Amino acid sequence: GPLVVPVCTAAALQRYELQAKQELRAGAGLGTGAVQWQSGTALAQALLDSSDLERLVASKRVLELGCGCAALPATISAIKGAASVVATDVAALMPLVLANLREYGQTPGMSDANKHALASTLEVRPLDWTSEEEVRSLAADARGFDLVLCADCVDESEALLRALADVISASLAPLGVALVASGARSQRLMALFLTALRRVGLDATEL
């Protein structure tokens, strides 16, 4: 039956964001990925609440690009019944991502089923969108990913937006879907990103 998800609580988010900020104050130099941004939380909440999006996740292969310190959309996907989930970001963020995932697994009141889903379904791996070798390795499985998630990644340079579009194209299954969440502050870059998606042959629709 449905799983109870006490992960996206305000207290939990506040705790993880504080840990990320502590890392920044310590001089880790982790950049924007070390803070949980609004669109990542909104995408995770949509995956949690929407039955339509739940059907996109259930028993599917899911990839999150630019998961940041919290990897919330990937975490919710694992708990909502994905067959497998891969959360990716730059190598420098991996220790912080793994630390936060361990925290999730210790959330008070989390069911054994949810803990098992996180431990058995969710994988974290480094990915540099501009590295041909890393992108090739990610896309090595010919099945591709049924669902690609990306939140707050459209505030980067135009060159990185093209790289992001290329990664989505390389990793999507033939009938796959990508959900990209971005704040209103990035509408100009979002327009450039949509153009980049169409350049690699992907249909793009703004919701």
Side-chain angles (χ1 to χ4, degrees), residues 41-122:
T41 305
L43 179 56
Q45 194 66 53
L47 291 167
L48 188 61
D49 294 341
S50 169
S51 58
D52 289 336
L53 294 186
E54 184 175 354
R55 285 191 287 272
L56 288 178
V57 170
S59 302
K60 299 297 195 302
R61 289 166 47 82
V62 179
L63 168 69
E64 183 176 2
L65 299 171
C67 68
C69 64
L72 284 179
T75 299
I76 296 301
S77 296
I79 289 174
K80 296 296 278 186
S84 64
V85 183
V86 179
T88 65
D89 212 309
V90 294
L93 270 178
M94 293 298 100
L96 185 54
V97 178
L98 290 169
N100 282 334
L101 291 180
R102 285 193 294 271
E103 288 273 351
Y104 292 157
Q106 298 168 9
T107 301
M110 178 175 279
S111 70
D112 289 341
N114 284 355
K115 290 179 182 179
H116 177 73
L118 288 179
S120 63
T121 305
L122 180 54

Side-chain angles (χ1 to χ4, degrees), residues 13-206:
L13 284 175
Q14 195 171 44
R15 185 165 68 249
Y16 303 138
E17 186 169 341
L18 175 61
Q19 181 178 350
K21 288 180 178 176
Q22 286 172 339
E23 290 282 340
L24 283 174
R25 283 199 296 271
L30 298 179
T32 57
V35 177
Q36 173 61 26
W37 297 95
Q38 184 176 14
S39 293
T41 305
L43 179 56
Q45 194 66 53
L47 291 167
L48 188 61
D49 294 341
S50 169
S51 58
D52 289 336
L53 294 186
E54 184 175 354
R55 285 191 287 272
L56 288 178
V57 170
S59 302
K60 299 297 195 302
R61 289 166 47 82
V62 179
L63 168 69
E64 183 176 2
L65 299 171
C67 68
C69 64
L72 284 179
T75 299
I76 296 301
S77 296
I79 289 174
K80 296 296 278 186
S84 64
V85 183
V86 179
T88 65
D89 212 309
V90 294
L93 270 178
M94 293 298 100
L96 185 54
V97 178
L98 290 169
N100 282 334
L101 291 180
R102 285 193 294 271
E103 288 273 351
Y104 292 157
Q106 298 168 9
T107 301
M110 178 175 279
S111 70
D112 289 341
N114 284 355
K115 290 179 182 179
H116 177 73
L118 288 179
S120 63
T121 305
L122 180 54
E123 170 192 355
V124 176
R125 62 188 291 182
L127 177 65
D128 177 350
W129 304 338
T130 65
S131 167
E132 292 184 9
E133 181 180 353
E134 291 183 15
V135 173
R136 188 163 50 246
S137 174
L138 178 72
D141 190 325
R143 292 175 298 173
F145 291 91
D146 305 298
L147 179 62
V148 174
L149 304 171
C150 186
D152 280 309
C153 293
V154 188
D155 288 324
E156 306 291 351
S157 69
E158 293 182 28
L160 278 181
L161 290 181
R162 290 192 291 270
L164 175 57
D166 289 339
V167 173
I168 293 173
S169 177
S171 57
L172 268 179
L175 297 178
V177 174
L179 296 177
V180 178
S182 181
R185 65 187 183 282
S186 57
Q187 287 306 300
R188 185 187 71 84
L189 288 175
M190 177 59 79
L192 293 172
F193 177 56
L194 292 174
T195 298
L197 290 175
R198 296 182 180 109
R199 177 182 59 82
V200 295
L202 295 174
D203 292 327
T205 301
E206 289 191 82

